[in-house]
Amino acid sequence: MIKEELLNFDGTRLFPERVATTAKYPLSDAEAVLYQQVTEYVRVGMNRAERLKAEGDGRRSAVVGFALTILQRRLASSPLAILASLQRRRARMADRLTQARLLCRGIHARDSAAVLDLAEAPDGYRLSDFDNFDPDELLDREVRDLEEAVVDQASAARTVAELEAEVAELDQLVDLAERVHASGVDRKWAELARLLADTPEMADESGQLKKLIIFTEYLDTLQYLMSKLGRMLGRPGAVVCIHGGMRREERRKAQDLFTQDSGTVILVATDAAGEGLNLQRAHLMVNYDLPWNPNRIEQRFGRIHRIGQTQVCRLWNLVASDTREGQVFDRLLSKLEEQRKALGDRVFDVLGEVFSGKSLRDLLIEAITAQNPHLQQLRMASVIDVTVGDRMRELIDAQSLLANELAPASVGEIRDQMERARGRKLQPSFVRRFFFDAFKRLGGRAVRREAQRYEITRVPTELRQWDTDAGRGRLLAGYERICFDREFVNEPGSPIADLIIPGHPLLEATIGVLLHRHGSALRQGSILINPRDLGDTPKALVMLEHEITDGTTTPSGARRVVSKRFEYVEITEDGAVCDAGHHPYVDYKIPDSDELALLEPLTRADWIRTRLNETALRRACEHNAPEHLVEMQARTHDRIDRTRAVVHQRLSEEIRYWDARALELKDQELADRKNDKLNSVRAGRRADQAEQRLQRRRSELARQAKLSARQPRVVGGALVVPAGLMAGLVGAKVSSHATDTIRTAELAVDAVVKIERSLGHEPVEMAHNNKGYDIETRDGDGRLIFIEVKGRVAGASDFTVTASEILYGLNHADRHVLALVEVSDDCPTTVRYLYDPFTGRAPEPGIGEHDRRLDWARYWGLAGSPS
């Protein structure tokens, strides 16, 4: 769906507003002369290329046209980019002239009018690669490689005389470009510097420059800007770059620096940063060079206009107002802004589709090659007005009719699943507590800056060394903001925080160093006490890990893991095994030293020492791993079946088309009506290539569907001792809090269910000992509400809540109810509700805190009648 139509569950917009501004600037006199002369060189060359096409040499025409187009675009990019390009082109043409003279001397003596065979393809390419050539279909790195191969060597010259004239002209252009570059006058850079200094939206409240992304087309210009910006800011380290020549790890490191290093303010990038990177740490962007493909404008904007972005996204497009291309872009951007005011930000989403009849590239080339620029401007304006006006409105209206909305029932089910999952969200608090304790032990320090958000100014050397030794290289020296819950990633007016979750390099390094120091302790196991089990039979809690792989392989040759699961099972002495559910250890008690001394003999039991591993693995092999495999097969096969159907339909249609086209072209060739752009052999080859792609995709999907379960592993365990057995060992009676009867709890839950039904709600009682809440109910607005029920006999002084119940209540907050039920003479007498019972009243459980005793009278007084 169109981004601007996507909403959150509460009806607010999922994506923020987008604003694009055209920053126009005039060329200096010297720049204008250089522009005019290079443009004339390009114009003449492209007209020669058109003649080649008319004479039947379409492939060479495409090569020359592409090369001259790149030269013109580099002219608009920066003085350094055009100077470097002209110098390289002149050197290449001079070499070719020397070779051509030698060739002609041997064949035609000194006949300077001899026709040259200059139709060879650029290095690493074939001329057939330029049949129906469309550079907009290439990736950034592919375009870069092709540009470097083409721009310096493609020429429309056919004789030594023509080549001599072109080299002489290039000598003059290089001389002129050198003078412009040496003068230091660069109106485009001056306009960027003015924007950075004088635009209020560019600065924060303290006047410091905000995070900013600058997109350019060419590496020469990128390096030029890096140098200029570093000097302007007074510190080169404030500027980082991403371009297609960088390895993936280098790009990721630059991305991390930009998003988390407070001293790194500007990212200069080519379209390599438009390929899948999340750069929403910034909400400001400048197109230093405008791409000739409108799709790429949206791709660039999409790096900051993403889910989770809270700021208005602003884009400045630099346009030279007195150039032929600048006039096209000026008209396009002006019309786009006009349509944005009428149709909203949705215009950006369809921008790449509006040029279906005549591409933006065609308009720009026509503007450059036109004999009468004024007449061409009038034609261009009419095309843009119709294209961006009527066509854009049609596309938006058409997309509005697409049936992409989920059915209300599906939306409701997804909302319910998310709410239930939110209650089980123990991970953020556990990770936070673990990380801060471990990080402090390793010499680190985190400073709280905002609610649940922290700054790390220095990462300990030991962690960075571990990261380096592990070959990751992603750990930064400091982090401007971190958090542990997605809710706190974005804070208006503050830096975006790195979410510290498993997989984040900072957490991975912390775990890695601790495992190196203390890994042996994990293999020893543990002893825990279950305070709510009044029996006398201990159990073993065993942690299992099992993985599902498919038929594809990683670069190292290993089978690819598509799912990994960590589960808990409980095992009794007689060999009975059952699943222990989510995080069963949370509500268990850590024994003190005296209790450990009493419990230690239990660990020497034969069933613990000899049969536990075998029993756990048998359970995993017979139940857990197969269930995991069946679940993954259902999910994966459904996805693959749908993918296979789409792939088959698309590629089969392509095969049929090219087969039919090959036959049609063959008939034309037999009738001596040849197609300059395409012949029957080429069409047949495309049909064969489509068939090969179809077979390759079928094979890939078949390998992805070939799932198998790896041998499960036991990764840890604990002996869980019931409170009843512990009490017997110490010679103590079971606490009255522990002996509250199951009957009292059942009466309390029944009473709350009746009240919920009387309120018109839809209550569902949870299974016994469900963690976190006893009843799930749906109120009159259709929202899920989670109720924890506490029943106490009349006169009770306190009640107990587990760590899980507190965490569930804090996670649900606005949807959690503590129902207090007073039971007298085996009959519930009064029920009171306390909404959001723990926020502000009960802090998160600390490490080792399995439950908490609360004052009944205080909470009873805070509670009120159910509503």
Side-chain angles (χ1 to χ4, degrees):
M1 295 179 65
I2 292 176
K3 282 182 175 181
E4 280 62 35
E5 295 179 351
L6 294 174
L7 303 176
N8 291 300
F9 283 130
D10 60 7
T12 59
R13 283 176 52 165
L14 187 61
F15 289 87
E17 181 185 2
R18 283 187 279 185
V19 178
T21 303
T22 304
K24 294 188 287 186
Y25 63 93
L27 298 178
S28 67
D29 292 343
E31 289 174 319
V33 172
L34 176 64
Y35 175 82
Q36 291 165 5
Q37 293 195 19
V38 174
T39 301
E40 181 64 15
Y41 169 78
V42 169
R43 189 185 70 80
V44 171
M46 294 189 77
N47 287 334
R48 286 179 180 171
E50 283 299 309
R51 288 199 296 271
L52 289 174
K53 182 178 179 181
E55 295 169 2
D57 198 353
R59 291 170 171 175
R60 185 177 172 200
S61 173
V63 177
V64 173
F66 180 66
L68 293 172
T69 298
I70 298 307
L71 198 65
Q72 185 74 23
R73 293 172 66 180
R74 291 184 175 182
L75 170 65
S77 182
S78 69
L80 181 61
I82 187 58
L83 173 59
S85 296
L86 287 171
Q87 288 173 332
R88 290 192 293 262
R89 184 172 178 82
R90 179 185 62 179
R92 191 63 177 264
M93 291 297 126
D95 288 343
R96 296 184 68 186
L97 177 58
T98 300
Q99 296 170 8
R101 283 171 173 165
L102 292 173
L103 177 64
C104 287
R105 186 176 298 124
I107 300 176
H108 302 290
R110 296 184 179 275
D111 183 4
S112 61
V115 177
L116 299 174
D117 182 12
L118 299 179
E120 71 271 15
D123 296 340
Y125 295 87
R126 299 168 302 178
L127 281 174
S128 58
D129 293 331
F130 292 89
D131 285 336
N132 298 322
F133 174 63
D134 184 0
D136 287 339
E137 295 180 356
L138 303 178
L139 296 175
D140 176 71
R141 61 180 179 275
E142 296 171 332
V143 172
R144 187 189 71 253
D145 293 342
L146 181 57
E147 287 177 358
E148 293 305 319
V150 168
V151 72
D152 300 336
Q153 70 182 77
S155 172
R158 292 173 296 180
T159 67
V160 171
E162 289 179 356
L163 194 54
E164 286 174 339
E166 182 168 1
V167 171
E169 188 174 5
L170 284 168
D171 285 337
Q172 296 175 359
L173 293 177
V174 168
D175 182 63
L176 182 56
E178 286 175 343
R179 292 201 303 271
V180 170
H181 183 256
S183 71
V185 177
D186 183 355
R187 289 290 178 81
K188 189 176 186 180
W189 159 253
E191 178 63 16
L192 175 62
R194 185 195 67 78
L195 284 175
L196 298 182
D198 299 340
T199 307
E201 293 86 355
M202 291 278 192
D204 59 21
E205 295 178 354
S206 65
Q208 298 298 311
L209 188 66
K210 294 179 181 177
K211 298 271 187 176
L212 171 71
I213 303 169
I214 301 175
F215 271 103
T216 179
E217 293 276 278
Y218 301 106
L219 184 58
D220 290 326
T221 301
L222 180 144
Q223 293 168 343
Y224 173 75
L225 288 175
M226 291 283 291
S227 175
K228 300 277 278 187
L229 289 165
R231 288 198 300 270
M232 185 186 77
L233 297 177
R235 40 195 178 89
V239 188
V240 294
C241 68
I242 294 177
H243 58 81
M246 300 170 66
R247 291 175 298 141
R248 182 179 297 274
E249 296 78 12
E250 294 174 322
R251 296 188 201 184
R252 192 60 181 265
K253 185 63 176 284
Q255 178 187 0
D256 290 344
L257 280 170
F258 180 68
T259 55
Q260 275 303 317
D261 183 8
S262 59
T264 303
V265 181
I266 297 178
L267 170 66
V268 185
T270 66
D271 281 308
E275 298 172 1
L277 293 181
N278 178 0
L279 301 172
Q280 66 172 279
R281 172 63 176 86
H283 61 96
L284 308 176
M285 180 178 291
V286 173
N287 274 328
Y288 197 78
D289 299 330
L290 276 162
W292 284 24
N293 180 351
N295 272 321
R296 298 205 173 186
I297 297 177
E298 164 56 19
Q299 288 171 2
R300 291 176 178 183
F301 221 160
R303 296 309 95 214
I304 60 174
H305 192 247
R306 301 173 68 91
I307 294 175
Q309 176 64 264
T310 61
Q311 305 292 317
V312 174
C313 294
R314 299 186 182 275
L315 170 65
W316 288 267
N317 296 302
L318 295 182
V319 174
S321 57
D322 46 1
T323 66
R324 297 189 181 195
E325 312 94 288
Q327 290 161 357
V328 174
F329 278 120
D330 186 22
R331 185 76 178 196
L332 169 64
L333 296 171
S334 298
K335 192 67 180 178
L336 182 62
E337 177 59 19
E338 178 185 313
Q339 292 297 94
R340 190 187 75 86
K341 291 178 180 178
L343 303 174
D345 289 356
R346 296 178 295 173
V347 297
F348 294 107
D349 296 299
V350 298
L351 179 59
E353 301 177 52
V354 296
F355 292 95
S356 56
K358 181 178 286 293
S359 73
L360 177 60
R361 177 184 295 275
D362 292 339
L363 285 176
L364 289 161
I365 291 175
E366 287 179 6
I368 293 165
T369 58
Q371 290 278 6
N372 188 332
H374 179 69
L375 181 60
Q376 178 59 32
Q377 286 177 31
L378 296 177
R379 292 174 181 167
M380 171 270 297
S382 64
V383 170
I384 289 179
D385 289 353
V386 171
T387 300
V388 182
D390 299 341
R391 175 68 175 154
M392 184 166 280
R393 188 180 295 274
E394 290 173 5
L395 285 169
I396 289 175
D397 290 343
Q399 289 203 18
S400 298
L401 297 175
L402 295 178
N404 282 345
E405 293 187 17
L406 289 170
S410 298
V411 174
E413 178 59 26
I414 292 172
R415 183 191 294 116
D416 290 349
Q417 291 177 9
M418 292 176 68
E419 286 301 327
R420 295 184 184 109
R422 182 158 66 105
R424 296 194 300 269
K425 192 179 62 177
L426 301 184
Q427 191 179 61
S429 60
F430 271 60
V431 171
R432 182 177 65 251
R433 289 181 299 184
F434 162 78
F435 174 78
F436 282 143
D437 186 27
F439 195 60
K440 182 178 179 181
R441 291 171 184 261
L442 297 174
R445 180 172 178 266
V447 180
R448 180 171 174 172
R449 293 304 184 195
E450 299 91 24
Q452 303 297 326
R453 290 158 53 89
Y454 309 84
E455 179 181 8
I456 295 175
T457 56
R458 187 187 67 82
V459 173
T461 303
E462 188 175 6
L463 296 185
R464 284 186 281 164
Q465 186 62 52
W466 182 91
D467 181 66
T468 301
D469 293 343
R472 301 170 185 268
R474 285 193 51 204
L475 199 59
L476 302 180
Y479 289 84
E480 192 173 10
R481 290 294 186 277
I482 64 168
C483 69
F484 301 85
D485 193 323
R486 293 185 185 279
E487 179 183 350
F488 304 107
V489 168
N490 293 286
E491 183 77 20
S494 298
I496 292 177
D498 255 27
L499 182 63
I500 306 300
I501 56 176
H504 188 282
L506 186 57
L507 182 59
E508 292 299 299
T510 301
I511 294 172
V513 172
L514 282 185
L515 285 174
H516 177 72
R517 287 187 180 183
H518 311 294
S520 59
L522 294 177
R523 293 186 290 271
Q524 296 175 4
S526 182
I527 301 176
L528 300 171
I529 299 173
N530 185 351
R532 271 151 293 286
D533 185 350
L534 305 183
D536 58 3
T537 304
K539 300 176 181 178
L541 178 68
V542 179
M543 290 156 268
L544 297 170
E545 185 177 72
H546 43 96
E547 300 170 338
I548 305 298
T549 62
D550 66 9
T552 63
T553 57
T554 64
S556 65
R559 293 280 292 271
R560 184 169 68 104
V561 176
V562 295
S563 181
K564 179 183 290 188
R565 186 164 292 177
F566 194 83
E567 294 182 314
Y568 303 89
V569 295
E570 284 186 342
I571 304 175
T572 59
E573 183 175 1
D574 60 6
V577 188
C578 65
D579 290 328
H582 298 287
H583 43 75
Y585 53 85
V586 172
D587 296 331
Y588 293 162
K589 176 180 177 293
I590 300 173
D592 58 32
S593 57
D594 292 337
E595 290 170 330
L596 276 176
L598 291 172
L599 296 173
E600 195 275 333
L602 298 177
T603 64
R604 296 196 291 270
D606 181 66
W607 72 281
I608 293 288
R609 297 174 65 87
T610 61
R611 304 198 309 269
L612 197 59
N613 245 31
E614 179 185 342
T615 304
L617 287 176
R618 186 186 308 114
R619 168 72 181 195
C621 291
E622 294 176 356
H623 296 278
N624 299 72
E627 290 172 3
H628 186 191
L629 178 61
V630 169
E631 179 184 329
M632 286 302 301
Q633 284 175 330
R635 186 187 309 169
T636 302
H637 291 169
D638 175 67
R639 172 182 60 82
I640 289 175
D641 288 344
R642 288 185 282 110
T643 304
R644 186 184 288 114
V646 173
V647 168
H648 177 78
Q649 177 183 2
R650 179 174 59 82
L651 288 177
S652 295
E653 289 176 356
E654 186 174 343
I655 292 167
R656 287 193 295 271
Y657 171 80
W658 285 115
D659 279 338
R661 187 75 173 122
L663 292 173
E664 178 185 350
L665 289 167
K666 187 64 175 178
D667 290 340
Q668 293 176 5
E669 290 162 3
L670 292 173
D672 202 24
R673 290 184 288 114
K674 295 184 178 180
N675 187 312
D676 292 336
K677 290 186 176 180
L678 188 66
N679 57 40
S680 60
V681 174
R682 180 73 170 174
R685 190 180 303 139
R686 291 186 177 181
D688 292 340
Q689 291 170 347
E691 176 66 36
Q692 292 169 6
R693 291 204 309 273
L694 177 58
Q695 297 305 322
R696 185 170 63 251
R697 288 291 286 128
R698 283 174 172 169
S699 177
E700 290 173 354
L701 291 170
R703 289 195 297 271
Q704 292 176 17
K706 191 176 180 180
L707 301 181
S708 59
R710 281 183 175 171
Q711 176 70 25
R713 296 186 301 119
V714 173
V715 295
L719 177 64
V720 181
V721 179
L725 176 59
M726 187 72 250
L729 292 174
V730 300
K733 294 183 179 180
V734 176
S735 162
S736 61
H737 300 286
T739 56
D740 277 351
T741 64
I742 294 177
R743 177 62 179 162
T744 301
E746 290 174 346
L747 290 170
V749 169
D750 289 343
V752 174
V753 168
K754 290 178 182 177
I755 286 177
E756 283 297 300
R757 287 175 179 158
S758 70
L759 294 172
H761 298 171
E762 303 172 17
V764 176
E765 184 178 347
M766 298 291 99
H768 181 61
N769 284 335
N770 180 68
K771 285 185 178 294
Y773 57 94
D774 298 301
I775 297 171
E776 179 182 288
T777 189
R778 195 178 299 277
D779 65 13
D781 296 327
R783 299 190 317 153
L784 284 182
I785 304 296
F786 306 93
I787 303 176
E788 172 61 31
V789 180
K790 293 296 178 183
R792 303 291 284 135
V793 296
S797 60
D798 52 32
F799 66 104
T800 300
V801 291
T802 66
S804 291
E805 290 164 355
I806 295 174
L807 288 169
Y808 267 70
L810 292 172
N811 287 336
H812 279 131
D814 60 326
R815 294 170 181 256
H816 193 267
V817 175
L818 178 63
L820 302 177
V821 183
E822 191 174 72
V823 179
S824 180
D825 297 328
D826 226 18
C827 180
T829 56
T830 310
V831 178
R832 289 191 176 186
Y833 278 11
L834 179 57
Y835 298 89
D836 188 11
F838 301 130
T839 302
R841 301 185 182 95
E844 288 186 356
I847 294 176
E849 183 180 11
H850 57 91
D851 61 20
R852 187 177 300 166
R853 193 167 297 177
L854 302 177
D855 183 82
W856 177 269
R858 176 172 177 264
Y859 277 81
W860 184 265
L862 292 170
S865 299
S867 61

